Amino acid sequence: MGSAWLFGRLFRGRRVPVWQLAFVLATALVLGIEPATHARHGAQWEQVQSDHIPAAEFSRIVTEFSEENGFFRSDNFVSNETSYLHVLDKMRDMGCTGGAYIGVGPEQNFTYIAKIRPRVAFIVDIRRQAVIQHLMYKAIFHLADTRAKFLAYLFSIPLSAGVNLPADAPIDRTLNYFEMASSSPIEFSRNLELIEKTIEDDFAFPLSDRDKVSLRYVYTAFHDENLNIQYRAGNPSWPGNPWGSFPTLREIILQEDLRGRPGNFLASRSDYEFIRDLQEHNRIIPVVGDFAGTKALDRVAEYLKRNGYWVSAFYTSNVEQYLFNNGVFNGFAENVARLPITDKSIFIRAFPNMREPHPAKISGHRLTTLLERISVFLKDYDQGLYQDYWSLVTTHYIAADQ
């Protein structure tokens, strides 16, 4: 990317006088701005930050950055992307670490955050229910200092007095315990009340009556379905739409990468403890927002710049598919252009192989996880290369090493 790219970003769609262009160029030369102004090295850019965001500030950010509640056709209680670990080695090779993380959807974000080790993370989802679910997770992390306790709170299954599930217990043994145990209605009511209290008192986040209904709805699903909970697409009574075709939470947790290694955040004590520590410092921040909206991502970008952060990874799942379908992809691209990035910043995408399989499709997986450098995305977008979702995911994509 050179000076033409820079001027394109500054003056897209605007007719400006020659003197203004000359002024910008002269200013850039005086200040020593590099041609690729987005691509500074993170270690030089990132400033020293306080480790802890106060609860009141956390609550303010969630509230003030959020847009109005939007609609999506499914309850994304859990991920359905069995290929989510395939790109971890490639991400590591590309130097994807530190900085700030942006993501969408449910618990899959925790695995990417655990592997990238960012200093702050924003989960931006169009549904307020997703924010309430992440506040539920945050409360459970707060209450549970081990993975076994986390699952005990999540499923409302008390840990028996004699059970031996230490902090470093193998994840399959831990899951076996919860699969065999029964949820407790008494434990459910007690935990729900405690989670509500934790969100409102410890996180300084007031829950409306509607929020409490949403919290109960989400928490009930985990209580009722346990490790068998699945992604839900539309209405289960629709013909040809069986929920059983999606992986269960147990299957998602036990997924392996392409070299047969577990990678879920619950498969590793150190990964769990990193996520919990970030949660305890109020550095995983859920926000209601449309990727193509005018507020949420803009406010996130402003916050990151003001605090000296750069984006290491932006996990979009397959949201861009819906942005194209709704004719608002350009708004998303303009939001991305506002984010502070480096030459190592990447997108993480999940392409659904429903109609036409992706060239990088891996047998046995419904979706294909792909990477792309954000700087390349911006350059390609400026050149008009993304006319539809297919061109987006097949132009300059980076596939997992097989």
Side-chain angles (χ1 to χ4, degrees):
M1 293 180 294
S3 58
W5 182 89
L6 172 59
F7 289 135
R9 290 248 62 85
L10 290 173
F11 301 116
R12 171 193 297 279
R14 294 167 50 196
R15 299 184 65 181
V16 296
V18 173
W19 70 263
Q20 190 172 351
L21 291 172
F23 175 78
V24 172
L25 178 59
T27 302
L29 291 174
V30 170
L31 296 178
I33 297 176
E34 303 169 9
T37 51
H38 285 281
R40 304 186 207 175
H41 193 279
Q44 297 173 344
W45 190 348
E46 190 166 354
Q47 301 170 359
V48 176
Q49 298 295 311
S50 169
D51 286 336
H52 186 74
I53 296 176
E57 175 68 0
F58 168 85
S59 179
R60 182 195 69 81
I61 293 172
V62 175
T63 301
E64 294 186 5
F65 287 22
S66 287
E67 299 172 0
E68 293 298 317
N69 183 34
F71 170 78
F72 191 65
R73 62 188 179 88
S74 63
D75 286 324
N76 293 6
F77 292 138
V78 295
S79 172
N80 66 348
E81 299 171 16
T82 56
S83 63
Y84 72 109
L85 301 176
H86 293 176
V87 293
L88 293 184
D89 283 342
K90 180 65 73 175
M91 289 166 57
R92 191 178 303 110
D93 292 343
M94 294 172 65
C96 180
T97 186
Y101 170 91
I102 302 174
V104 65
E107 87 298 330
Q108 181 166 325
N109 290 282
F110 300 144
T111 295
Y112 288 141
I113 292 170
K115 302 307 180 185
I116 295 169
R117 294 292 203 264
R119 300 183 64 193
V120 68
F122 284 89
I123 312 300
V124 182
D125 198 293
I126 198 169
R127 302 164 304 126
R128 185 171 178 85
Q129 179 178 294
V131 169
I132 299 303
Q133 180 170 343
H134 273 285
L135 290 173
M136 178 196 79
Y137 276 133
K138 180 175 174 60
I140 294 175
F141 276 110
H142 181 68
L143 297 167
D145 60 356
T146 69
R147 293 169 293 156
K149 291 179 182 177
F150 177 89
L151 293 172
Y153 276 108
L154 184 62
F155 300 133
S156 298
I157 296 176
L159 293 170
S160 301
V163 66
N164 181 28
L165 290 174
D168 57 355
I171 188 59
D172 54 348
R173 178 152 63 92
T174 303
L175 296 183
N176 287 341
Y177 170 82
F178 288 101
E179 192 168 51
M180 299 299 294
S182 299
S183 299
S184 163
I186 296 176
E187 193 81 357
F188 170 84
S189 298
R190 183 188 301 121
N191 288 349
L192 180 59
E193 182 179 351
L194 180 57
I195 288 170
E196 284 185 8
K197 180 177 175 58
T198 299
I199 293 171
E200 294 195 310
D201 294 353
D202 294 356
F203 307 156
F205 189 89
L207 294 169
S208 67
D209 289 343
R210 180 172 294 183
D211 290 338
K212 291 179 180 179
V213 170
S214 183
L215 176 61
R216 174 177 286 273
Y217 175 68
V218 174
Y219 198 50
T220 298
F222 283 93
H223 168 268
D224 292 349
E225 299 175 46
N226 199 298
L227 284 164
N228 292 317
I229 192 169
Q230 299 164 289
Y231 169 86
R232 298 178 179 179
N235 189 312
S237 64
W238 291 351
N241 185 32
W243 289 3
S245 63
F246 294 108
T248 65
L249 178 57
R250 178 188 176 94
E251 291 169 334
I252 291 292
I253 294 172
L254 293 179
Q255 280 298 313
E256 298 176 339
D257 65 16
L258 292 173
R259 286 159 181 75
R261 299 168 299 191
N264 187 273
F265 79 98
L266 285 171
S268 162
R269 175 180 178 178
S270 63
D271 282 354
Y272 176 81
E273 291 177 351
F274 175 82
I275 297 296
R276 184 171 188 259
D277 183 70
L278 214 60
Q279 294 275 21
E280 290 289 79
H281 288 94
N282 299 323
R283 289 187 164 271
I284 299 179
I285 306 172
V287 175
V288 183
D290 184 336
F291 278 8
T294 60
K295 183 179 180 182
L297 280 180
D298 182 66
R299 296 296 296 273
V300 169
E302 178 186 343
Y303 178 89
L304 297 180
K305 292 174 182 176
R306 185 172 65 250
N307 289 281
Y309 295 116
W310 51 276
V311 175
S312 55
F314 190 159
Y315 163 60
T316 64
S317 188
N318 65 321
V319 170
E320 290 148 312
Q321 175 183 6
Y322 299 99
L323 299 179
F324 273 110
N325 291 346
N326 295 333
V328 295
F329 180 78
N330 290 345
F332 166 67
E334 293 301 326
N335 282 335
V336 173
R338 298 184 182 97
L339 296 171
I341 65 169
T342 75
D343 56 359
K344 295 183 179 180
S345 303
I346 63 170
F347 280 120
I348 308 171
R349 298 189 174 108
F351 175 77
N353 298 289
M354 292 185 294
R355 297 179 179 85
E356 184 173 4
H358 194 277
K361 174 178 168 52
I362 295 175
S363 178
H365 295 274
R366 178 192 302 269
L367 295 101
T368 300
T369 303
L370 305 164
L371 306 176
E372 184 184 17
R373 294 194 186 277
I374 297 179
S375 59
V376 172
F377 166 87
L378 291 172
K379 184 177 180 180
D380 287 353
Y381 174 74
D382 281 348
Q383 295 177 356
L385 299 186
Y386 302 139
Q387 297 302 309
D388 52 27
Y389 184 53
W390 180 253
S391 62
L392 173 70
V393 298
T394 55
T395 303
H396 291 144
Y397 69 88
I398 301 170
D401 291 327
Q402 297 188 54

